[in-house]
Amino acid sequence: MSHPTAPTGLLRRMTSRSPHEQHRSATPLELFFDLCFVVAVAQAGVRLVHAFAEGHFGSGVLGYFLVFFAIWWAWVNFTWFASAYDNDDVFYRLAVLVQIAGVLVLAAGVPRAFDDGDWAVCIAGYVVMRLAMTCQWLRVARHNTGAERATALKYAVGLALVQVGWFVVLFVPDGARLSLFLVLAAAELSVPLVAERGFHTPWHPHHVAERYGLFTIIVLGETVTAATIAVQEGLDEHEALGELLSIAGGGLLIVFAAWWIYFAVPAQERLTSMRRAVQWGYGHLLILGSAAAIGAGIEVAVEQVTGQAHISPVAATGAVTVPTALFLFTSWLLQARHFKRDGAEKALMPVTVLAVLSCTFLGNWGVLAAGLVMSASVAIGVSLSARPDSDTLRKP
């Protein structure tokens, strides 16, 4: 059962929760955590819009990826930890609130990181989040023994060491900073792989799948906001009303179809081993990052139509269709394809990805075309899945 809204004690033993717990769902604290993290996601999206509007595609994507990785990875670590060890005492809640404060500091530093290459505030916020997570793992080590204690200590030591590396980033020359970023990102991803050897933390498959799903919904909500902005701009820019309304309509169709496709299969049924969990959990960097980028792309398309973005219609439409295609492909690769019965069902999504990408070359009407393509894909998918199984057809 999910925890009540009132904490259950000042300081309780932090022992593992059962991965078979019935009716496990997201807690109010977890939902609050997600909403605060989306503030940072929105900041990254705003800077991505500004970079694309000026035609700085390479630097915009790179900066967005680095910021989004920090946000996503801190969120991932908390989500899996909470699934296994959330004891909802006062200290646990305070540690989570510190993590939230850290992501808000990170969000405040995003403009400086994008515009001036000053990563000090972003890194400070990230380190605050990670040190709070380290304290949580030390609590697990204190209250457990054997292999479980050893795993908790490996997490704590690994996190602490990597944070030293992030501090060093502030003092290296600009030319070497990107390389060190990539090395430290790889180190961050390696900590769970090393720590989980010998003992697997008892996360709850249904709870984890729900948490990822909820965050995906919130991130897709950024696209709805972007579509609303398109309508507002259309009311003010009567000369471009048709193009802006097509962008708004296409954006809504894209986000509706993306939601439908992502939740078409029971993701928790894939989380049956640590290997699958790592592939699925890590792969969501692309799913969530592309989902957030769709909204940014719609805003870029709007700015291009209204003359605020100095790029071509094809480039502006590509800012929508490319992340949309990436979202579709990674959703299919990580979960959807494993639930398809035959060649027709398995081929539908790859074909849709190619069709969405081809809409890029339609210019200002490409967003609407991509939305229609995705809507058609959903309709075809529903029809294919409604067919009886071949075994049923052979029965007398």
Side-chain angles (χ1 to χ4, degrees):
M1 296 292 289
S2 60
H3 288 301
T5 56
T8 54
L10 178 63
L11 193 64
R12 304 178 63 207
R13 289 182 59 82
M14 187 165 272
T15 54
S16 60
R17 299 181 63 164
S18 171
H20 309 293
E21 188 176 344
Q22 295 295 314
H23 309 295
R24 180 76 186 276
S25 60
T27 67
L29 181 59
E30 288 174 327
L31 297 177
F32 182 50
F33 186 87
D34 290 355
L35 287 172
C36 293
F37 264 61
V38 170
V39 172
V41 173
Q43 284 293 315
V46 167
R47 307 321 293 183
L48 182 64
V49 171
H50 290 171
F52 277 12
E54 296 298 326
H56 303 150
F57 298 103
S59 61
V61 170
L62 179 60
Y64 175 78
F65 174 79
L66 294 176
V67 171
F68 193 89
F69 174 84
I71 300 166
W72 165 81
W73 187 238
W75 181 88
V76 165
N77 276 222
F78 166 77
T79 295
W80 291 82
F81 176 89
S83 187
Y85 293 106
D86 179 4
N87 67 356
D88 200 38
D89 64 8
V90 170
F91 188 90
Y92 175 86
R93 289 189 173 195
L94 291 176
V96 174
L97 293 177
V98 169
Q99 290 177 274
I100 291 174
V103 77
L104 296 179
V105 172
L106 187 153
V110 168
R112 289 187 177 189
F114 267 80
D115 299 339
D116 305 322
D118 181 0
W119 290 88
V121 177
C122 281
I123 289 176
Y126 182 74
V127 171
V128 167
M129 290 188 289
R130 307 301 281 149
L131 292 180
M133 192 76 258
T134 302
C135 291
Q136 296 280 47
W137 281 114
L138 289 174
R139 288 192 69 196
V140 175
R142 180 169 178 254
H143 295 146
N144 294 275
T145 60
E148 187 170 7
R149 182 176 187 274
T151 291
L153 287 175
K154 283 187 285 187
Y155 266 111
V157 171
L159 289 173
L161 290 176
V162 177
Q163 300 327 297
V164 174
W166 288 115
F167 181 73
V168 172
V169 167
L170 299 176
F171 301 97
V172 300
D174 292 344
R177 189 168 291 172
L178 177 59
S179 298
L180 186 54
F181 265 124
L182 297 177
V183 169
L184 290 172
E188 290 274 15
L189 295 172
S190 299
V191 170
L193 303 181
V194 173
E196 297 276 343
R197 292 177 182 174
F199 179 86
H200 295 324
T201 51
W203 41 267
H204 193 291
H206 186 277
H207 177 247
V208 167
E210 181 191 33
R211 296 285 293 112
Y212 273 76
L214 290 171
F215 199 60
T216 301
I217 289 173
I218 295 174
V219 170
L220 285 174
E222 294 292 315
T223 303
V224 177
T225 302
T228 303
I229 292 173
V231 174
Q232 291 174 338
E233 293 283 351
L235 295 176
D236 296 330
E237 299 285 342
H238 300 292
E239 294 181 0
L241 180 61
E243 291 92 336
L244 289 169
L245 290 181
S246 75
I247 292 171
L252 286 177
L253 290 176
I254 287 172
V255 72
F256 291 164
W259 170 85
W260 196 302
I261 290 166
Y262 181 87
F263 290 99
V265 297
Q268 65 272 11
E269 294 185 9
R270 288 288 301 162
L271 304 181
T272 56
S273 67
M274 192 62 193
R275 180 180 178 182
R276 286 184 176 181
V278 168
Q279 293 172 346
W280 183 86
Y282 283 21
H284 267 73
L285 171 62
L286 296 179
I287 290 180
L288 294 169
S290 59
I294 292 171
I298 290 175
E299 292 191 42
V300 171
V302 170
E303 292 193 3
Q304 192 281 325
V305 168
T306 57
Q308 302 174 56
H310 309 294
I311 55 176
S312 68
V314 170
T317 301
V320 180
T321 56
V322 171
T324 299
L326 181 60
F327 177 89
L328 292 174
F329 181 75
T330 48
S331 296
W332 171 82
L333 183 67
L334 292 175
Q335 53 190 44
R337 68 187 178 94
H338 300 288
F339 296 88
K340 304 305 180 183
R341 297 175 298 177
D342 55 27
E345 291 188 6
K346 291 179 180 179
L348 176 60
M349 198 52 58
V351 171
T352 302
V353 169
L354 295 176
V356 167
L357 288 174
S358 68
C359 293
T360 304
F361 303 100
L362 298 178
N364 291 334
W365 299 97
V367 176
L368 178 59
L372 293 173
V373 165
M374 290 183 64
S375 300
S377 177
V378 169
I380 295 171
V382 170
S383 299
L384 290 175
S385 63
R387 297 173 301 163
D389 292 332
S390 56
D391 290 341
T392 303
L393 291 174
R394 287 195 292 267
K395 291 181 180 179

